[in-house]
Amino acid sequence: TTPRMEKFKITRQKFTHEGRTIYEWDQDLEEVNIYVQGPPGVPAKMISCLITPSKLTLGIKGNPPFIEENFISTVKAKESFWTVEDGVIHITLQKALKGEVWAAALQGHAGMTGASLDPMAMEETKKQMMLQRFQEESPGFDFSGAQFNGSAPDPRSFLGGPTTS
């Protein structure tokens, strides 16, 4: 992500279950990011994180997974990775289809509050991703203050889609 792309507001969604945050997630044109608070006192070398094109498996080595869910769409597993920063497990997934708007990060949580985008959040995400796409395709211009009148077009298909997938 270029410094200019940083101007675009990306909103994290928070998935909670029984009052506890399970994970937060956000997305841009190319990536979906999942943030999970790591268990206290567990070093990164004890974390098991497997990313396949269709599924995320996350847990502590030698234990049943904490999360084992299919993605809402496909990712480029070889270009996806995870890190631990300040106790937070940050999973960066490269979308297989650049510009695709994901309604949720994980299929098993689709439709659940916080895990899925409501219609308003979906529209806002489309707008932000279109502005990111415009910025990427026209780096000499500043689209950070641009607005759409009405519904934003689909960033994946508008005018033939993004320049690279």
Side-chain angles (χ1 to χ4, degrees), residues 67-87:
I67 295 175
E68 187 172 25
E69 294 285 345
N70 287 329
F71 298 122
I72 204 79
S73 191
T74 309
V75 303
K76 297 177 182 177
K78 290 183 179 179
E79 296 176 30
S80 300
F81 59 93
W82 65 277
T83 60
V84 177
E85 305 164 24
D86 298 324

Side-chain angles (χ1 to χ4, degrees), residues 8 131 142-147:
F8 298 103
L131 293 174
D142 182 359
F143 293 95
S144 62
Q147 296 182 357

Side-chain angles (χ1 to χ4, degrees), residues 86-157:
D86 298 324
V88 175
I89 302 164
H90 178 187
I91 303 160
T92 302
L93 307 168
Q94 284 291 280
K95 294 178 178 178
L97 299 173
K98 182 177 179 178
E100 181 179 32
V101 180
W102 287 24
L106 303 173
Q107 269 185 11
H109 303 146
M112 296 179 166
T113 303
S116 296
L117 298 178
D118 62 33
M120 228 165 89
M122 188 75 157
E123 185 64 23
E124 188 59 33
T125 299
K126 281 178 18 184
K127 288 178 182 180
Q128 291 304 316
M129 288 174 61
M130 278 303 302
L131 293 174
Q132 288 174 348
R133 187 177 145 198
F134 291 158
Q135 187 66 62
E136 185 178 277
E137 293 173 1
S138 305
F141 295 93
D142 182 359
F143 293 95
S144 62
Q147 296 182 357
F148 287 92
N149 291 330
S151 292
D154 184 339
R156 176 82 191 137
S157 58

